[in-house]
Amino acid sequence: MDHVRIAVYEIIRGTAKEAVEIAHAPAGMADIFKAQPGFEGYSIIEVDPVTTVSLSFWATHEQAEHAIAEAAEWVQSNLADRLRRTSNYVGDALFWTEPQSQTGIERVPSPEEQDMNHVRIAVYDVTKGTTKEVTELVSAPGGLSDIFRMQPGFQAYSTIEVDPVTLISLSFWETHEEAERAVSEAAVWTAAHTEDRVHRTSNYVGDSLFWAKP
């Protein structure tokens, strides 16, 4: 899951679950994405009654970019009276980590293998250094990656480079409460180690309403 598209929507009519029923219906957004080359996984995350996040994974950056056009066309035709897109990001994973397996070998997580039902998405401006330098800090021994892996319910963690000054922290948890706790853990570690390097601009914790898989 090296290339990610994240879009944030405001619900302007109806509910997130009603929008999901339309997106997940035959010939809906899920089927359109599944028919695209490089598709690896797709979910809609309900953050609160008026905020949803579309999260999709692709084999290449170009395929993730293509998903923007596909999604925009379908939403305009089917959900324009229900949703308004407020943010859109396409980025490349700088690393993935998941709980260590019983064999001691770390593996890249896959939506085909498990549903990751509770998600924390944090968007940062990098104010000093580079996105890769920040990622080196979080993935170093004793860094945020290790801290997350020690938390109950941890499933996967990645940093997504959107552009030279925008970095997204993406983590998956077994329960919503564990995802919320990750916000506090990340805030404490960030304040101690990267406060002079990053500024958080957005933070979302939500529950996956479905996973579409190849």
Side-chain angles (χ1 to χ4, degrees), residues 162-175:
V162 177
D163 56 46
V165 296
T166 308
L167 189 68
I168 294 178
S169 171
L170 182 63
S171 59
F172 299 88
W173 305 85
E174 291 180 2
T175 71

Side-chain angles (χ1 to χ4, degrees), residues 107-126:
R107 300 164 48 254
V108 175
S110 167
E112 293 89 340
E113 298 173 333
Q114 63 173 329
D115 286 347
M116 295 181 288
N117 291 327
H118 307 278
V119 186
R120 187 238 176 185
I121 302 166
V123 184
Y124 295 90
D125 283 344
V126 177

